[in-house]
Amino acid sequence: MAKITFITPDNESVTLEATSGSVMELAVQNGVKGIDGDCGGVCSCATCHVHVAEKDFPLVGEPSEIEADMLELEDEVSEFSRLCCQIKVSDAIDGITLKVVEE
Amino acid sequence: MSTDKICVIIGASHAGVNLAFSLRKEGWEGAIHLFDSDPVLPYHRPPLSKAYLTSNDPIEQNALKAASTYKNEHIDLHLGVKVIAIDNTIRTVSLDNGTTQKYDNLVFATGASPIIPPIPGIETATNTYPLRTAADVLHIKNTINTSSKKRVVIIGAGYIGLETAASLKKLDASVTVLEREERILQRVTSPTMSQFFLDLHTSNDVSVFTSKNVVTIESLKENDIISNIVKCSDGTLYPADVIIVGVGVRVNTELAASIGVEIENGIKVTETTATNIDRVYAIGDCSFHHNPRYGRFIRLESVQNAVDQAKVTAAAICEKETKYDTVPWFWSDQYDIKLQMVGLSDGYDDIVIRHEEESESNNKFSVWYFKGSELLAVDAVNNAKAYVIGTKFIKKPTLIDKIKLGDSAIALKPANLLL
Ligand SMILES: Cc1cc2nc3c(=O)[nH]c(=O)nc-3n(C[C@H](O)[C@H](O)[C@H](O)COP(=O)(O)OP(=O)(O)OC[C@H]3O[C@@H](n4cnc5c(N)ncnc54)[C@H](O)[C@@H]3O)c2cc1C
Ligand code: FES
């Protein structure tokens, strides 16, 4: 079980719980604003971009090569950027905060 | 914005659903009625031939939006309801449940339907399916799971047919693909890519045959089990427990045509996705639209096009300045191959093929399509970097040094490739 907090582009904070699936799926299933997931989670669209809170970044880890390349398409890319369809929900990421990046 | 206005959207898939939510984002306060004859909560179509076909996940896992989000955004989603007629003089649609719905703005997001070619025997053939809906995939999965021999014949080697072949291999099916043209993917990509995918499928034990014109499908009964014999014009026969028909689509234009909307290779729209009829729009697979970057009218079958046009329509309906002007992109996943495409390659006269040095197999490369010095499109195989750089170069036309581009000793970075 993991609790994940999303800060949406209009600065709302939403905390959700899940045990499996990807963080993108969790966000879409709960209508978190700003996470579209247009490609369905296959790292092809970059519409699931989040900035991981700095303190939580080690829990989530670095993006894969393809994900890092796809992030280059985004204007607001930072060293804490991830495409959240590539983050699996697990106990290991319990308590993290993600800031949703608006397109 | 007025709250008594009504927007009716016909078709609740990638285009229609994204439009409904984009309308709210743009500040539309009126009613939104979204109709689809498919009874299933709107879902992503791309996984149907990919991950969804091989997984046991319920279709809800692939929902475009959660059911609750429609409620929260006050979007009236009517599923399992077909729009059967439109009267644009009184601005009303008629539904197959006997009711009607008024509208101020009307949007066709009706997409396309699979073509079932008029092959003698196809109508009565057993276990023969197109692959467009969640229901189609359930039929295919059930049939494969209960078939002992699992012999699949796929008619048509487009992206959907080939993705399906790759997925069904994972389910231990024996798969044959029959393509009428001389090469696979003929309609949609270059000979280089066709050859790559032919080799890929062959090495994964899929039998791919080109120049195969299916002429009849006959039924065969062995030990009480009914299967099919697919017969080609050259006399070859292919037994099939399951047939998947993937020969392309027919655009759903009939309703639009019935009210006098102009139809060409789809529903013809302007740069704001408007049809020739006031406050009537068309988006997604059904739209025949102008692409400013490539200077011609096109019809696309892609998620990108559906989503981006939806945003434009939402802005147009909310009377905001807007224009559809994007570089098309698309992806296809087969086995461990991720193909990402950007731009339109039609009309290219020069090609640069770039293999990345670090890749041990030949499975990381990119094909760059040029017309003279102008980069038109990039096909990137397991190479998101090439896809991203290609996207940037196409969006902001740049003179590229083709020799450096083709030299894998030179790192793939925009600054290294300039002329
Ligand atoms: C198997 C498969 C794999 C694909 N893979 C990819 C991919 O990897 N990448 C990619 O970019 N694209 C892919 N596509 C294409 C992509 O799914 C389409 O471009 C997209 O679905 C288009 O969305 P749309 O809303 O315009 O049309 P559609 O998805 O065709 O939806 C139209 C909807 O309108 C409804 N409708 C039509 N007429 C009526 C009526 N009279 N009344 C009520 N409802 C009506 C239909 O039921 C349908 O649900 C794939 C498509 C398929 C089928
Ligand atoms: S959902 Fe498309 S990249 Fe994450």
Side-chain angles (χ1 to χ4, degrees):
Chain A
M1 169 89 76
K3 266 202 177 103
I4 295 166
T5 301
F6 297 88
I7 314 284
T8 67
D10 34 17
N11 258 326
E12 255 176 74
S13 162
V14 192
T15 300
L16 300 169
E17 278 181 11
T19 48
S20 63
S22 78
V23 171
M24 182 279 287
E25 283 166 357
L26 175 67
V28 169
Q29 277 154 20
N30 292 280
V32 173
K33 290 222 165 87
I35 296 190
D36 296 333
D38 287 343
C39 74
V42 295
C43 207
S44 294
C45 69
T47 62
C48 62
H49 183 188
V50 294
H51 288 161
V52 181
E54 187 173 349
K55 66 168 179 33
D56 298 330
F57 198 75
L59 298 179
V60 175
E62 295 288 334
S64 68
E65 185 187 341
I66 154 165
E67 183 186 337
D69 287 336
M70 286 302 289
L71 279 164
E72 294 284 317
L73 272 181
E74 294 288 287
D75 294 332
E76 306 272 314
V77 61
S78 82
E79 60 192 300
F80 306 115
S81 283
R82 289 292 311 263
L83 295 174
C84 68
C85 66
Q86 303 301 306
I87 306 176
K88 278 211 180 72
V89 172
S90 75
D91 294 346
I93 62 166
D94 185 30
I96 63 168
T97 299
L98 307 172
K99 197 166 186 317
V100 179
V101 182
E102 187 140 50
E103 293 176 40
Chain B
M1 186 149 300
S2 149
T3 53
D4 57 356
K5 291 267 191 274
I6 303 167
C7 182
V8 163
I9 307 169
I10 311 175
S13 181
H14 289 272
V17 168
N18 275 287
L19 171 61
F21 285 87
S22 298
L23 275 169
R24 289 292 181 235
K25 236 188 193 166
E26 291 288 354
W28 174 261
E29 290 179 348
I32 300 174
H33 290 280
L34 189 52
F35 294 97
D36 205 296
S37 47
D38 193 330
V40 180
L41 184 68
Y43 48 87
H44 286 274
R45 285 196 206 280
L48 295 183
S49 49
K50 308 180 186 83
Y52 180 63
L53 190 52
T54 56
S55 83
N56 290 320
D57 289 343
I59 189 68
E60 291 73 37
Q61 196 94 25
N62 280 317
L64 287 170
K65 304 276 176 186
S68 58
T69 56
Y70 295 88
K71 289 205 184 76
N72 297 343
E73 298 283 338
H74 304 285
I75 294 164
D76 287 305
L77 179 61
H78 308 269
L79 297 175
V81 181
K82 187 172 184 184
V83 176
I84 51 172
I86 305 170
D87 186 338
N88 194 51
T89 52
I90 53 166
R91 299 190 88 80
T92 302
V93 295
S94 303
L95 311 168
D96 66 350
N97 60 12
T99 64
T100 59
Q101 172 61 53
K102 288 188 84 48
Y103 61 82
D104 296 285
N105 295 285
L106 178 65
V107 184
F108 291 98
T110 47
S113 306
I115 293 173
I116 305 297
I119 299 168
I122 201 167
E123 294 290 342
T124 50
T126 187
N127 300 328
T128 299
Y129 309 104
L131 205 168
R132 183 88 191 173
T133 65
D136 293 335
V137 177
L138 281 185
H139 289 307
I140 294 167
K141 274 197 221 182
N142 287 341
T143 319
I144 299 273
N145 287 339
T146 53
S147 160
S148 57
K149 292 187 180 157
K150 302 187 200 302
R151 295 165 303 183
V152 181
V153 167
I154 299 175
I155 305 178
Y159 286 116
I160 294 176
L162 294 178
E163 287 172 357
T164 305
S167 300
L168 292 179
K169 258 344 258 190
K170 277 197 192 159
L171 300 181
D172 278 337
S174 80
V175 184
T176 302
V177 182
L178 304 176
E179 168 58 51
R180 190 181 57 182
E181 305 297 336
E182 278 169 21
R183 62 179 170 93
I184 62 171
L185 299 169
Q186 177 147 320
R187 217 168 36 88
V188 289
T189 194
S190 64
T192 311
M193 294 306 294
S194 296
Q195 189 61 46
F196 171 75
F197 279 107
L198 178 62
D199 296 343
L200 177 69
H201 283 275
T202 307
S203 67
N204 279 284
D205 204 21
V206 171
S207 308
V208 183
F209 300 103
T210 53
S211 304
K212 287 284 182 188
N213 196 10
V214 176
V215 286
T216 57
I217 299 172
E218 279 159 28
S219 114
L220 178 77
K221 197 166 173 188
E222 295 166 301
N223 312 324
D224 277 349
I225 297 173
I226 301 177
S227 62
N228 307 290
I229 298 282
V230 179
K231 187 175 176 190
C232 295
S233 56
D234 59 3
T236 46
L237 303 171
Y238 301 93
D241 303 299
V242 185
I243 298 175
I244 295 165
V245 184
V247 298
V249 294
R250 191 176 48 75
V251 188
N252 296 326
T253 55
E254 296 82 357
L255 273 178
S258 75
I259 58 166
V261 168
E262 190 182 344
I263 310 290
E264 243 178 82
N265 170 27
I267 302 176
K268 195 164 180 188
V269 295
T270 66
E271 59 191 18
T272 61
T273 72
T275 69
N276 56 317
I277 293 185
D278 188 34
R279 284 175 294 147
V280 176
Y281 303 80
I283 52 175
D285 280 17
C286 70
S287 82
F288 186 56
H289 60 273
H290 189 257
N291 185 293
R293 173 66 181 73
Y294 294 92
R296 62 174 184 273
F297 274 86
I298 55 175
R299 200 180 66 74
L300 294 171
E301 290 164 24
S302 75
V303 167
Q304 171 274 322
N305 179 58
V307 173
D308 288 342
Q309 281 192 319
K311 290 178 186 158
V312 170
T313 312
I317 288 176
C318 294
E319 293 169 11
K320 296 183 183 170
E321 187 89 22
T322 183
K323 187 176 166 198
Y324 188 53
D325 182 3
T326 60
V327 174
W329 56 264
F330 186 80
W331 76 93
S332 176
D333 298 327
Q334 299 171 37
Y335 310 103
D336 53 354
I337 294 297
K338 180 166 199 67
L339 168 66
Q340 292 175 282
M341 291 167 269
V342 58
L344 301 175
S345 62
D346 310 60
Y348 71 89
D349 56 19
D350 193 11
I351 255 185
V352 174
I353 301 174
R354 181 186 164 97
H355 286 273
E356 299 309 323
E357 241 181 5
E358 81 260 31
S359 108
E360 285 149 30
S361 62
N362 279 333
N363 286 350
K364 184 173 181 183
F365 68 97
S366 48
V367 183
W368 303 63
Y369 301 89
F370 289 88
K371 185 171 189 187
S373 61
E374 182 194 4
L375 178 64
L376 292 178
V378 178
D379 288 342
V381 172
N382 290 343
N383 194 343
K385 189 170 260 124
Y387 168 78
V388 167
I389 293 176
T391 303
K392 289 183 175 169
F393 281 163
I394 295 170
K395 283 193 172 157
K396 193 165 170 267
T398 312
L399 280 181
I400 299 166
D401 187 326
K402 293 182 194 173
I403 310 251
K404 288 183 186 153
L405 176 63
D407 183 349
S408 59
I410 298 175
L412 191 53
K413 278 192 195 141
N416 290 349
L417 307 175
L418 303 182
L419 199 60

